[in-house]
Every structure is written in structure tokens, then in C-alpha cells.
Amino acid sequence: GWVQLSYVVTESGEVIDPVVEESSGPRAFERAALKTVQRWSYEPATWDGKPVQQCQTKVMISFAIEGSEATVSRRFYNRYYKIEKAIEKKDIEKAGKLLDNTFKSYDMTLSELTSLWALRAQHAALTGDDEMQLKAIRKATASNGRWINQELYPQLLYVRTVLELQNSNLPEALDTFDKLVSLDSDMPKLEDLRTYIDRVRNIIDSESIIAVSGRIDAADDCDDCSNNWQYDPLRRKVRIAEVDGELGNIELRCAWRRIVDKARPGKSWDLPEDWGNCSIIVFGEPGSSFTLYEEPSA
């Protein structure tokens, strides 16, 4: 499996406040990854000759038997083939059962696991479950194509961009589209997709307020994991409103600085340009929802 984390490196080089951004599945890997990074130490970054926090540090930790990451066993291939054929025949029930049974096997390599998530995405498309389809594609593409079929990877990025746009996940859509363009793919529909991406960029540059729906998900079966919502803002001024539930802190992590504050409705936070790229983490009770507003610069 694998786990994508972000954390803060202090002025003394210690790792603090790690959070899981994404993972391949089992919570045991998330717990292990969280414990691992907290044992690491760094040479601290400096600003004007003085040590400073590094608040946008990210890493993917993979768990695999050395040398096995890209291998595919005959046993898995036979399972994969059966699922693929069931999907081609649109036998949703059979494909779903085969997928569930295969996911219960924890002896897959990283390539096998990634391929299985790609199949899960196809199955979700058949059932009309856009949420599961997007979740599955995110997991299948999380390694930047390292463990996925190279012919399939651009197609997954294309569908992911479309789904991110449909869900108003504009930062994710822009990032995924940039990855797709960097592949120099000759995909016929790429230019049509670029039209929508250009509209998003125009919205960012406009005077319109961008509203983003947020919801706190539960970190089940992981005592070290926190209940949070994460987002990479498109603008430098944000505020929270329309809270339904109980929110805790909001943490605005930028490259060289961070803000930790109570997630109070109505309050605005400004992120100076010289702080670098930023991300937002909102903590709270599972199921709590809210709206994050991104306001144009004054």
C-alpha cells in the first residue's frame, strides 16, 4: 500500500502535525506512516539567515516487498481478466462481487493494487456512482503513473479532470489537467477540455467570490488519524461560513509560514504572496459541513 502525507518541519528540524492526505486503503498503513514521519529529522530551512518552519512538506510512503512493486502475478491477472470481462458485459453485480473479494486480498503488489482501483473506477462509472469513480481514479493516479499502465494513465487523468470540474474541485482539476498536458498526449478531446480549464482560470482572475463546500470525514479505525477536510486554495483570502456541526481549528499551511486559528464562521484569513503556495486543513467533528469562500484580492 501507500500513504500520502503532509506535515510541518520546525525550526529545529522536527516533524510535527502530520496529516494523511490520501492512501491506498488499509488504516494500518496510515498509522505506520504517521508514526514513521514523526521519527524523522531535517536540516531546517532558513529565511534571511534564520531557521524557519517548512509548512508544506509532503511525502508518499509506500509499503512493498523490495523489487515486487511493478510485478503482476498470474493469479492476479486471472482475477483482473474476469473482472474486466464482467465490466465489458455490463454485469454490474458479478463485477462488484469480484472486485470486493479481490480487494480483501492484502497480498497484492502496488501495480496490482493500482490496476484494481482503475477497475473499480470503471465499475463505478457503470453504476453511476460519480463519487466512487472519482475516489477510485484518485487512488489509481496518485503515484503519478508510476504503477499504472502507461496507455491507461492519460485516460484516467482525462476522466479525473472532468469529474473534478463537475464536483467544483477547481484546484484539483487544474492540477490534474496540467499533469495530463505534460504527457504530450494526442487525446482528441484534450482541446475541448482545455476550453473548460480556461474558463476556470478566468473565474479565478475575476471579481467573483468562489464558494467551496466542505465536509469533515471520519478517520475510522485509526486513533492517530484526525478528522479533517483539506483544500488547496486558489486565492489568498478565505473565510468560513454556513457551518452545520462542530468545527475545531483551521490550519493554513504555506511554504514558509502557517496560521493556526479557531474555525470561526465569518472570520477571514489573508495569506501573503511571499508565504508561497498554501493548503488549508479544517478539523472538526465527523459529518460537520461548511462553506469556504475565496474572495478576490483587494
Side-chain angles (χ1 to χ4, degrees):
W2 53 264
V3 182
Q4 177 81 44
L5 305 110
S6 65
Y7 47 86
V8 176
V9 178
T10 68
E11 294 91 335
S12 60
E14 295 177 310
V15 172
I16 62 172
D17 300 336
V19 295
V20 174
E21 290 192 338
E22 184 65 273
S23 79
S24 60
R27 293 292 189 184
F29 288 144
E30 296 182 15
R31 290 194 294 269
L34 287 165
K35 291 177 180 177
T36 296
V37 298
Q38 291 181 84
R39 294 196 296 265
W40 291 353
S41 62
Y42 285 80
E43 185 73 23
T46 59
W47 185 292
D48 291 335
K50 297 180 180 179
V52 294
Q53 289 188 342
Q54 301 170 76
C55 305
Q56 271 278 40
T57 312
K58 300 188 179 187
V59 69
M60 174 180 279
I61 296 178
S62 58
F63 299 82
I65 298 173
E66 187 174 358
S68 70
E69 297 94 330
T71 60
V72 176
S73 69
R74 181 174 296 277
R75 177 189 174 201
F76 176 81
Y77 177 78
N78 289 336
R79 289 184 182 182
Y80 183 95
Y81 181 79
K82 290 178 182 179
I83 299 169
E84 189 176 47
K85 287 301 177 183
I87 290 174
E88 288 178 1
K89 294 178 180 178
K90 297 184 179 181
D91 190 338
I92 294 174
E93 184 176 355
K94 180 178 179 180
K97 288 181 179 179
L98 288 170
L99 278 166
D100 291 341
N101 290 335
T102 307
F103 266 112
K104 291 176 182 177
S105 171
Y106 283 24
D107 59 352
M108 288 181 284
T109 67
L110 290 170
S111 287
E112 291 171 346
L113 184 60
T114 303
S115 299
L116 197 62
W117 276 114
L119 283 178
R120 175 70 84 183
Q122 293 182 47
H123 180 261
L126 280 179
T127 62
D129 189 344
D130 290 346
E131 184 177 350
M132 175 53 72
Q133 186 183 10
L134 180 54
K135 175 183 176 180
I137 292 179
R138 283 175 176 171
K139 293 181 184 294
T141 59
S143 61
N144 292 327
R146 200 183 333 170
W147 303 309
I148 195 71
N149 180 292
Q150 292 303 297
E151 293 182 4
L152 179 60
Y153 183 54
Q155 300 174 42
L156 290 172
L157 289 181
Y158 180 90
V159 177
R160 177 174 173 176
T161 304
V162 172
L163 291 173
E164 300 285 12
L165 287 170
Q166 291 176 350
N167 283 272
S168 299
N169 299 326
L170 304 186
E172 290 280 355
L174 293 172
D175 182 63
T176 306
F177 181 77
D178 287 342
K179 290 178 182 178
L180 177 57
V181 171
S182 70
L183 299 177
D184 292 326
S185 173
D186 57 355
M187 194 173 294
K189 295 183 179 181
L190 192 58
E191 289 306 312
D192 291 338
L193 188 56
R194 191 188 302 275
T195 300
Y196 291 99
I197 292 296
D198 288 341
R199 291 178 185 176
V200 171
R201 299 191 196 281
N202 289 335
I203 291 173
I204 297 170
D205 295 335
S206 73
E207 295 300 312
S208 301
I209 293 175
I210 300 174
V212 182
S213 298
R215 180 180 174 83
I216 308 294
D217 291 327
D220 298 326
D221 304 321
C222 184
D223 295 336
D224 296 323
C225 304
S226 58
N227 302 311
N228 64 74
W229 175 83
Q230 301 171 35
Y231 179 75
D232 294 330
L234 296 163
R235 291 176 173 163
R236 312 299 296 191
K237 184 175 182 179
V238 299
R239 62 183 171 88
I240 283 179
E242 299 155 14
V243 175
D244 182 9
E246 188 70 29
L247 299 184
N249 283 347
I250 180 172
E251 191 171 340
L252 302 103
R253 295 184 178 182
C254 303
W256 310 113
R257 297 285 192 280
R258 69 169 173 164
I259 298 172
V260 180
D261 199 359
K262 292 291 184 183
R264 294 192 294 270
K267 182 174 181 179
S268 295
W269 294 273
D270 291 284
L271 304 169
E273 290 286 348
D274 62 4
W275 284 17
N277 292 333
C278 302
S279 61
I280 296 173
I281 307 173
V282 180
F283 300 90
E285 292 297 318
S288 298
S289 61
F290 56 92
T291 302
L292 179 82
Y293 289 101
E294 299 191 62
E295 301 177 352
S297 302

